[in-house]
């Protein structure tokens, strides 16, 4: 009888924490921290359902954020970040390959970590894994590495941004380039300010579109069926939401409420991500993949921050 009661109490605690993460005074960072704490002290009562819900919630939240944006400022932000995007993606993929060889990491695992760092974290790994024919162990190691570093970035980046007195534009651009997953990019940027959030979301989604050419290249490299490639269709819906907010007055009036719902959804997403990062996850990743992911992340973070600050001085 003890086990069913314990299991029921875990479910009640988990659901209560999930509901709390939806409240407006709970920031994305706090929601993630709540999830991380629960992951260490109790067994996850909804592990499989939580993983599925995370992917769906993130997409809905990102689309919802589009209702708070103007299409013209979105295009401007996208143009500003395109050179950074191209340079950083090719740079990270190349350096990631070399580090993977140096550390003798399994090639598919190394490629997934590099792609996750270069493009958009878990979304890139999920899209590329069927193309690469990666096995569950390779996928979980890559996801674990990316999510661990994402969690650190969500807390660390706003502190560094304030330390270096980054403007809203600079911080939004830096977040989009140097943080892996869209959820953590939006979480960190929303903590910094509304303008940073708009720029970070736009540039990050532009980066996410690189899943398509990278997946196409992988189909030839790994000799797999092109139909296995997963295209990020939700980005198109984000653009439609932005257009609706710009041109339809009724939608523009409802926009702030939709954005509030989207932010609540994002906090819940980060809570669910945190709740899946138990000590067992940390342990299963292993040292070499974590070293590869950390080195890549530090390199792209420092290089992009220095470039942004230098360009600001020139301008």
């Amino acid at each position: 009888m003890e086990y069913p009661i314990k299991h029921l109490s875990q479910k009640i605690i988990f659901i209560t924490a999930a509901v709390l993460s939806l409240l407006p005074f709970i920031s994305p960072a706090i929601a993630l921290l709540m999830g991380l704490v629960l992951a260490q002290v109790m067994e996850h009562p909804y592990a499989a359902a939580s993983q599925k819900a995370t992917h769906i919630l993130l997409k809905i939240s990102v689309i919802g954020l589009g209702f708070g944006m103007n299409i013209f400022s979105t295009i401007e932000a996208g143009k500003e970040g395109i050179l950074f995007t191209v340079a950083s993606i090719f740079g990270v993929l190349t350096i990631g390959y070399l580090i993977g060889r140096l550390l003798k990491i399994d090639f598919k695992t190394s490629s997934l970590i590099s792609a996750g760092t270069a493009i958009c974290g878990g979304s890139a790994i999920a899209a590329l894994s069927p193309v690469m024919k990666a096995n569950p162990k390779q996928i979980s190691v890559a996801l674990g590495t990316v999510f661990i570093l994402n969690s650190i970035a969500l807390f660390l980046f706003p502190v560094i941004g304030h330390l270096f007195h980054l403007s809203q534009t600079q911080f939004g651009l830096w977040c989009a380039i140097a943080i892996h997953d869209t959820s953590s990019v939006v979480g960190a940027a929303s903590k910094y300010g509304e303008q940073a959030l708009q720029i970070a979301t736009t540039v990050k989604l532009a980066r996410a579109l690189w899943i398509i050419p990278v997946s196409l290249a992988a189909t030839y490299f790994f000799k797999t069926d092109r139909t296995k490639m997963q295209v990020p269709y939700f980005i198109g819906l984000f653009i439609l939401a932005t257009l609706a907010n710009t041109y339809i007055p009724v939608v523009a009036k409802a926009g702030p409420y939709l954005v509030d719902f989207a932010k609540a959804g994002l906090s819940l997403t980060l809570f669910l991500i945190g709740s899946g990062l138990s000590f067992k996850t940390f342990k299963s990743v292993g040292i070499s993949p974590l070293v590869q992911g950390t080195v890549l992340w530090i390199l792209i973070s420092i290089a992009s921050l220095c470039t942004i600050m230098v360009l600001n001085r020139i301008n």
Side-chain angles (χ1 to χ4, degrees):
M1 192 68 185
E2 187 182 341
Y3 176 74
I5 293 170
K6 183 184 175 183
H7 199 58
L8 179 63
S9 64
Q10 286 176 346
K11 285 183 176 180
I12 292 167
I13 291 166
F14 184 87
I15 291 167
T16 304
V19 171
L20 281 173
S21 71
L22 291 168
L23 298 175
F25 57 83
I26 301 292
S27 69
I30 296 300
L32 176 66
L33 187 61
M34 281 166 52
L36 284 167
V37 170
L38 283 188
Q40 313 318 313
V41 298
M42 70 181 215
E43 189 182 331
H44 199 311
Y46 302 105
S50 183
Q51 281 188 337
K52 289 178 184 176
T54 300
H55 295 299
I56 297 165
L57 265 172
L58 176 59
K59 288 170 185 175
I60 292 170
S61 300
V62 168
I63 294 163
L65 289 172
F67 289 105
M69 298 187 187
N70 180 284
I71 191 65
F72 301 108
S73 57
T74 301
I75 290 167
E76 196 60 38
K79 281 196 300 186
E80 192 169 346
I82 193 160
L83 287 175
F84 284 106
T85 297
V86 176
S88 61
I89 286 172
F90 282 100
V92 169
L93 290 174
T94 304
I95 296 167
Y97 169 75
L98 295 172
I99 294 172
R101 288 287 300 270
L102 184 68
L103 296 175
K104 296 178 181 174
I105 301 169
D106 166 73
F107 180 58
K108 288 182 182 179
T109 303
S110 170
S111 300
L112 288 173
I113 292 169
S114 299
T117 306
I119 306 170
C120 57
S123 301
I125 292 166
L128 286 167
S129 52
V131 177
M132 292 181 180
K133 293 182 180 175
N135 62 43
K137 174 69 176 173
Q138 291 163 334
I139 297 165
S140 63
V141 166
L143 284 172
T145 302
V146 163
F147 285 142
I148 288 165
L149 296 174
N150 266 329
S151 304
I152 297 166
L154 185 57
F155 295 103
L156 194 61
F157 269 54
V159 174
I160 296 172
H162 288 300
L163 188 67
F164 285 97
H165 307 290
L166 297 182
S167 68
Q168 294 279 313
T169 302
Q170 289 173 316
F171 187 79
L173 195 54
W174 184 45
C175 269
I177 293 164
I179 301 179
H180 314 71
D181 221 58
T182 307
S183 56
S184 291
V185 168
V186 175
S190 64
K191 198 175 176 183
Y192 208 79
E194 281 301 317
Q195 193 183 347
L197 175 62
Q198 291 197 14
I199 289 165
T201 307
T202 305
V203 176
K204 192 63 185 178
L205 293 181
R207 287 176 77 81
L209 288 172
W210 279 82
I211 289 174
I212 300 167
V214 172
S215 294
L216 283 170
T219 59
Y220 289 106
F221 192 85
F222 290 94
K223 295 180 174 60
T224 51
D225 187 355
R226 195 180 297 184
T227 57
K228 290 183 177 179
M229 186 179 74
Q230 296 179 19
V231 179
Y233 295 107
F234 74 97
I235 296 173
L237 293 174
F238 167 82
I239 294 167
L240 287 176
T242 306
L243 284 167
N245 186 62
T246 306
Y247 292 109
I248 305 172
V250 177
V251 175
K253 282 183 182 178
Y257 303 104
L258 293 169
V259 170
D260 285 342
F261 278 118
K263 287 180 179 178
L266 176 71
S267 290
L268 180 56
T269 302
L270 286 161
F271 167 76
L272 294 175
I273 289 170
S275 68
L277 289 175
S278 65
F279 181 71
K280 194 188 289 181
T281 308
F282 286 75
K283 202 174 174 183
S284 70
V285 167
I287 293 297
S288 294
L290 196 55
V291 168
Q292 182 199 12
T294 304
V295 170
L296 276 178
W297 179 52
I298 290 170
L299 285 174
I300 187 65
S301 299
I302 293 172
S304 56
L305 179 60
C306 290
T307 305
I308 288 165
M309 291 179 77
V310 167
L311 286 175
N312 183 61
R313 283 178 188 172
I314 293 169
N315 295 331

